[in-house]
Amino acid sequence: MARPGQNLHVKFFVLVALYLIIMAVEAQLITSLEEVLAYKIMVQWVAFTRAWNDACKASSATLNVAGGKTFLVNNIYFQGPCQPGFTFQKIRAAGSAHGTIDPPENPSSWKSTYVWWLFEHLQQFTLTGKGTIDGKGNYADESGKLNKTCKKRAIQFNDVKGSALSGLKVRNSPQFHVTLTNCDSVQIVGITIQAPESSPNTDGIDTFQSTNIVIKDSTIGTGDDCVGIGDGSSNININDITCGPGHGISIGSLGRGNTKAYVHSIHVNGAKLTLTTNGLRIKTWPVIESGAFSARRSERERQVDCGGGLPPPHGLILLSPVLSSWLVFLFMVSLSVLSLCCIYFLGVFRSLFLVRSALGL
């Protein structure tokens, strides 16, 4: 017959084992919610990239993104060269809302880059359609301070020629919304860009090292420049845009760290500016004494460093939390089972000991 103290010890160990099992299940349920979101982002990223790669090879192809849905994707690197006449189109399903394409909630989780959507090395390419690309705001970096060296960009065209961006609504980028670098003969027509008036460094459209750019029939209201024209920009035509709130249309800033900057042939016609802090302005850095700027880098160098190199996320990166949480779950369950086994065998050995003692063996 078991003693009361023995029963108490057995019950205690059983309760501990059950508690460990319950904690393991609870932890698994909590992490599963995050894993489902991570898995959804990964699956939709894979779908976008596979569709891009297939359409990129075809002549005059159109890649349609369905309307009426919300897509969650992390940084995407849409790289050419592709066949000429390629169109990436956000469509609206009949009777449905336009739909949105969203990044992860916190821009600090953008993977190893400052660009969310990068389109690179393309000719005769069109990004168009209805619907919204929402950068989800959060107007600061992970340290809580604005990153003034490498500004996050929702959409960037790099080395894109003879192409167009039209129709889309881009809103709430953490910083820059649309950026053109090393582009030639690109038209931006009929787009809408929105961010809160209080959001810093949320430029609407910025150009760097680009020429023959047309920006027209668009509405831009942000917390910074509606259009910013950076070093190396030439033949920029801004026609019939509505600007405000924001800082107006800006050339520069130019000459940071005593570097030479070249901008010419900037034309603005028919622009309507409302509630802007400036109309059209030119921003330059003051000349500083020789030697004081040796450690400074040019605007072009900073932009190249910040915009280059978008490594594609790998499934293993997103799957590793899943594997880790399952390993923790299995470990805790195994520990609980091991505890129960130990309790059982201890009870058996104790019973045998009591029997042997009673028999005088």
Side-chain angles (χ1 to χ4, degrees):
M1 182 175 178
R3 300 176 182 177
Q6 178 186 358
N7 290 335
L8 182 62
H9 290 148
V10 171
K11 290 179 181 179
F12 172 76
F13 283 113
V14 169
L15 288 174
V16 169
L18 290 175
Y19 174 76
L20 290 173
I21 293 175
I22 292 172
M23 291 295 292
V25 173
E26 183 180 15
Q28 179 61 25
L29 289 175
I30 292 173
T31 55
S32 292
L33 297 176
E34 298 177 354
E35 290 157 10
V36 167
L37 179 59
Y39 182 73
K40 181 178 180 180
I41 292 173
M42 182 192 70
V43 168
Q44 295 189 351
W45 177 89
V46 171
F48 270 95
T49 53
R50 284 181 177 174
W52 172 273
N53 291 335
D54 291 341
C56 180
K57 303 172 185 176
S59 179
S60 300
T62 299
L63 173 58
N64 289 323
V65 180
K69 297 181 179 180
T70 296
F71 295 92
L72 288 173
V73 293
N74 214 312
N75 308 83
I76 305 184
Y77 190 4
F78 294 117
Q79 187 177 27
C82 295
Q83 293 294 322
F86 184 14
T87 299
F88 188 117
Q89 180 171 268
K90 182 79 171 65
I91 64 174
R92 180 181 181 182
S96 70
H98 289 305
T100 62
I101 300 174
D102 296 344
E105 287 291 336
N106 188 350
S108 65
S109 65
W110 293 10
K111 295 189 175 299
S112 304
T113 180
Y114 289 90
V115 186
W116 181 27
W117 280 32
L118 177 63
F119 297 87
E120 190 169 44
H121 310 314
L122 298 166
Q123 294 190 23
Q124 299 180 38
F125 167 72
T126 301
L127 175 61
T128 187
K130 302 296 182 181
T132 301
I133 297 176
D134 192 333
K136 294 292 186 180
N138 195 16
Y139 313 110
D141 62 15
E142 51 269 30
S143 67
K145 298 179 181 180
L146 290 173
N147 191 318
K148 295 185 178 181
T149 302
C150 296
K151 296 181 174 66
K152 292 185 181 293
R153 305 131 188 217
I155 298 175
Q156 180 171 346
F157 279 17
N158 181 56
D159 186 29
V160 176
K161 297 177 173 62
S163 300
L165 167 61
S166 66
L168 291 171
K169 180 177 182 180
V170 187
R171 70 185 182 194
N172 298 327
S173 175
Q175 292 177 306
F176 289 2
H177 285 78
V178 176
T179 304
L180 308 182
T181 55
N182 307 298
C183 291
D184 188 353
S185 302
V186 172
Q187 293 196 20
I188 300 177
V189 182
I191 71 169
T192 300
I193 297 176
Q194 291 181 337
E197 184 177 1
S198 59
S199 57
N201 288 286
T202 51
D203 291 12
I205 300 171
D206 289 278
T207 67
F208 300 94
Q209 305 298 325
S210 297
T211 187
N212 301 318
I213 307 300
V214 175
I215 303 169
K216 67 177 183 179
D217 301 328
S218 298
T219 300
I220 306 169
T222 68
D224 211 295
D225 297 335
C226 293
V227 179
I229 301 163
D231 182 22
S233 299
S234 63
N235 296 322
I236 310 296
N237 293 279
I238 303 169
N239 302 321
D240 300 315
I241 70 165
T242 300
C243 169
H247 295 178
I249 300 171
S250 298
I251 298 174
S253 55
L254 305 176
R256 182 185 179 94
N258 281 13
T259 57
K260 293 183 179 180
Y262 300 92
V263 172
H264 67 85
S265 303
I266 311 301
H267 306 278
V268 179
N269 295 292
K272 180 181 179 182
L273 291 87
T274 306
L275 300 176
T276 59
T277 57
N278 307 280
L280 176 63
R281 62 174 175 169
I282 300 175
K283 300 186 291 184
T284 60
W285 287 83
V287 175
I288 56 180
E289 295 180 5
S290 177
F293 59 90
S294 58
R296 295 177 180 265
R297 293 159 46 187
S298 70
E299 181 71 14
R300 181 178 184 182
E301 289 174 326
R302 293 190 307 113
Q303 293 296 337
V304 169
D305 287 351
C306 295
L310 175 57
H314 299 290
L316 182 61
I317 296 174
L318 289 175
L319 289 177
S320 57
V322 181
L323 296 175
S324 299
S325 63
W326 273 108
L327 288 174
V328 172
F329 173 73
L330 292 175
F331 173 76
M332 295 185 71
V333 170
S334 300
L335 183 63
S336 301
V337 173
L338 181 62
S339 300
L340 290 174
C341 291
C342 290
I343 293 170
Y344 173 76
F345 284 112
L346 284 173
V348 171
F349 287 132
R350 184 178 179 83
S351 298
L352 290 175
F353 176 76
L354 291 175
V355 170
R356 288 173 62 86
S357 298
L359 296 177
L361 299 177

